[in-house]
Amino acid sequence: MESTHYSFNRNVETYSHSDVVVIGGGPAGTAAAISAARSGKRVVLLEKSAQLGGMGTLANVSIFMPVGNVTGIYRELISEMLAEYLPEGHDQSIAPQYSPFLFRQYFNEKMKKENVQVFFHSEFVGAVREEREIKAVIVSTREGLRAFEADVFIDCTGDARVAIDAGVPYHAGREEDGLTQPMTLMFTMQDTGKPVKQVLPEGCYVYNDVADLPQGRRLYWERNGDGSLLVNMSRVKANGAKIEDVNYAETEALRQVFSIANYLQRTGFENYTIAHIAPQTGVRETNQIEGLYTLTEQDVVQGTRFPDVVAQTNYEIDIHSPDAQKTTDERKVDGYDIPYRCMVPEAFDNLLVAGRAISATHVAMSSMRVQATCYALGQAAGAAAAISLDGGGAMKDVPMAKLHAELARQGVRFLGQSIEV
Ligand SMILES: Cc1cc2nc3c(=O)[nH]c(=O)nc-3n(C[C@H](O)[C@H](O)[C@H](O)COP(=O)(O)OP(=O)(O)OC[C@H]3O[C@@H](n4cnc5c(N)ncnc54)[C@H](O)[C@@H]3O)c2cc1C
């Protein structure tokens, strides 16, 4: 079918003007909003769903993978919500499992305390650009389209939605074929103390062996010690930023979930029933902006250190097969820095991209994508936005000494620094 294009001109009323608008309330977005607010800025946080926490709550990815530096806002979340896991020094690793429901509630209260104005059910639809600046974002709200103006915008949509709409160059997935990591629908099961009725709804599969499973492995966690089982075992070949892929993923992943649960009930979890299925299938990888610096596999493997470091991690290279084969490429890494420049699109003076959509290659993003790292990137982005507004210049010119000083003031420590600094 020949495609038709429409020009869509509308007069859109401005809803508010703030210092900083953060788009997307996942790990990067919540940290960016808190950080900018702590630096004294008026902050609006726009979230298209009804909850904060991003994949960590919405997609029930309710476990933190270890990164080797428990610092800043991430450390604070651990101390406030999972104190029993808080390491004494920051340069350690933890991998706590948590309740996505408690975190959802926690974020609401936290944002109130931090004076961040949160707008739920507010989905970014377009950027208003004037030369090197974004003037406003157009947002679909329950009252229709509204414009949210600000002096700095931080794109934390995970998909670089704002940056791409504004014209920032980007790439997706593997260099050779553009395939991204597959999607997974997370679910939990609960021990009921007695054998449960096994069901296999219409359309589902019979898995008999580990080799039949979508990932070719049993991947779940029981760390809460309360009879709950967090299951990460479905796998659907899809790019979560594509219309047709998402339609396919949301049905195929649900089929797999019921099939996996049925398999588990026959192979050791006879007393377990499905307790919760995430409201949406989790998205690991979609778009990466092309920023002032692109983090590479070599940086991750060699452990590159950067003078403009904003996050540190030693999380492994972790690539679920983009072809949806039953393989996962997992390679240990010793630790590396992520530079500020990965968040800066060259063509704009007042836009940053934080979280999993930063400038990184497919392999590098497989390591930097986990939640703790996204919190660290968001925190740095929020602090940088505030410095820019306080006379620090365009986002690309924010002085690193000032950014590092502000992050230190906010409790961020890099390796080699003690926690009492
Ligand atoms: C299945 C799966 C398993 C994973 N396992 C782990 C794990 O075990 N441990 C770990 O630490 N990490 C894990 N990760 C990775 C981690 O969860 C994500 O990479 C991380 O949450 C990314 O954070 P983010 O803030 O960049 O984006 P996201 O978490 O994707 O958050 C983006 C937010 O922006 C919102 N948004 C998107 N578009 C718009 C728009 N147009 N307007 C307004 N809001 C918008 C979304 O609703 C969402 O709230 C996993 C991910 C998946 C999918």
Side-chain angles (χ1 to χ4, degrees):
M1 193 179 74
E2 207 179 303
S3 74
T4 313
H5 290 257
Y6 295 96
S7 160
F8 182 69
N9 288 320
R10 289 277 289 272
N11 250 327
V12 177
E13 187 184 324
T14 297
Y15 191 84
S16 72
H17 184 105
S18 48
D19 296 323
V20 179
V21 164
V22 178
I23 308 101
T30 49
I34 293 171
S35 170
R38 282 185 185 173
S39 302
K41 301 303 164 209
R42 288 171 303 138
V43 182
V44 158
L45 175 57
L46 302 169
E47 167 54 44
K48 73 174 175 182
S49 76
Q51 53 186 294
L52 300 175
M55 292 298 114
T57 54
L58 264 179
N60 195 5
V61 176
S62 47
I63 182 164
F64 292 120
M65 285 293 119
V67 295
N69 191 5
V70 182
T71 192
I73 288 171
Y74 173 60
R75 185 178 180 86
E76 197 174 306
L77 303 187
I78 300 295
S79 72
E80 289 172 356
M81 291 296 289
L82 298 160
E84 64 276 26
Y85 290 96
L86 189 72
E88 226 169 80
H90 64 100
D91 50 351
Q92 291 172 30
S93 273
I94 53 170
Q97 194 182 330
Y98 59 86
S99 157
F101 316 118
L102 286 176
F103 263 76
R104 176 179 180 178
Q105 167 65 10
Y106 166 77
F107 279 125
N108 288 353
E109 299 303 322
K110 180 108 182 147
M111 292 304 152
K112 212 166 149 197
K113 282 189 231 156
E114 302 285 344
N115 287 320
V116 172
Q117 213 184 348
V118 179
F119 291 83
F120 291 117
H121 300 293
S122 295
E123 178 164 11
F124 165 84
V125 293
V128 181
R129 174 183 185 172
E130 257 177 40
E131 297 180 354
R132 293 185 55 83
E133 294 215 326
I134 310 267
K135 289 292 179 198
V137 284
I138 307 300
V139 177
S140 168
T141 73
R142 288 282 166 97
E143 296 180 30
L145 296 182
R146 292 289 183 275
F148 286 77
E149 297 174 344
D151 297 322
V152 175
F153 294 85
I154 308 178
D155 179 347
C156 297
T157 58
D159 301 328
R161 220 30 313 137
V162 182
I164 292 171
D165 188 75
V168 173
Y170 70 103
H171 65 270
R174 292 197 296 213
E175 285 69 24
E176 62 270 30
D177 56 13
L179 286 182
T180 58
Q181 289 204 46
M183 290 170 65
T184 290
L185 181 53
M186 303 285 294
F187 67 102
T188 49
M189 297 184 80
Q190 185 66 42
D191 188 351
T192 63
K194 57 181 190 308
V196 297
K197 186 176 169 210
Q198 296 174 6
V199 287
L200 191 63
E202 184 188 345
C204 296
Y205 312 106
V206 178
Y207 299 134
N208 286 317
D209 300 310
V210 172
D212 296 337
L213 296 169
Q215 296 191 23
R217 63 177 175 178
R218 292 161 69 104
L219 183 63
Y220 48 71
W221 297 274
E222 300 173 271
R223 293 184 188 164
N224 284 346
D226 57 2
S228 67
L229 187 75
L230 174 65
V231 187
N232 175 341
M233 285 170 61
S234 61
R235 174 173 287 181
V236 181
K237 179 179 172 181
N239 177 334
K242 287 194 182 291
I243 298 170
E244 296 292 341
D245 283 21
V246 172
N247 287 346
Y248 167 64
E250 292 295 2
T251 49
E252 173 57 18
L254 189 61
R255 272 187 212 118
Q256 291 185 10
V257 161
F258 281 108
S259 312
I260 291 160
N262 178 267
Y263 162 85
L264 290 172
Q265 286 166 339
R266 285 182 281 114
T267 56
F269 293 95
E270 288 75 7
N271 293 353
Y272 284 67
T273 190
I274 292 179
H276 176 257
I277 300 175
Q280 66 183 57
T281 303
V283 178
R284 289 190 176 81
E285 177 185 14
T286 53
N287 305 317
Q288 310 303 136
I289 59 152
E290 285 171 22
L292 292 182
Y293 183 83
T294 298
L295 190 74
T296 65
E297 176 176 357
Q298 207 180 16
D299 292 329
V300 173
V301 171
Q302 289 183 348
T304 311
R305 299 292 170 193
F306 294 95
D308 57 338
V309 55
V310 285
Q312 295 177 317
T313 172
N314 61 11
Y315 184 63
E316 63 182 18
I317 288 171
D318 179 12
I319 310 175
H320 294 236
S321 167
D323 299 309
Q325 302 296 311
K326 295 172 193 278
T327 55
T328 304
D329 177 5
E330 288 177 288
R331 288 177 260 158
K332 281 203 183 335
V333 305
D334 290 335
Y336 61 94
D337 290 351
I338 302 176
Y340 172 71
R341 284 162 293 159
C342 290
M343 300 196 289
V344 187
E346 197 284 323
F348 287 91
D349 290 339
N350 71 339
L351 174 67
L352 287 179
V353 176
R356 66 176 168 81
I358 62 164
S359 192
T361 64
H362 167 71
V363 174
M365 92 73 68
S366 80
S367 163
M368 63 63 53
R369 68 191 170 90
V370 295
Q371 294 179 73
T373 311
C374 292
Y375 280 112
L377 291 167
Q379 184 165 9
I387 293 167
S388 160
L389 289 171
D390 289 338
M395 296 314 309
K396 67 174 168 30
D397 300 323
V398 164
M400 278 312 109
K402 277 197 177 162
L403 180 57
H404 285 155
E406 175 58 16
L407 289 175
R409 191 188 71 81
Q410 291 191 15
V412 173
R413 301 290 175 263
F414 294 117
L415 298 181
Q417 293 179 321
S418 83
I419 204 110
E420 298 75 23
V421 174

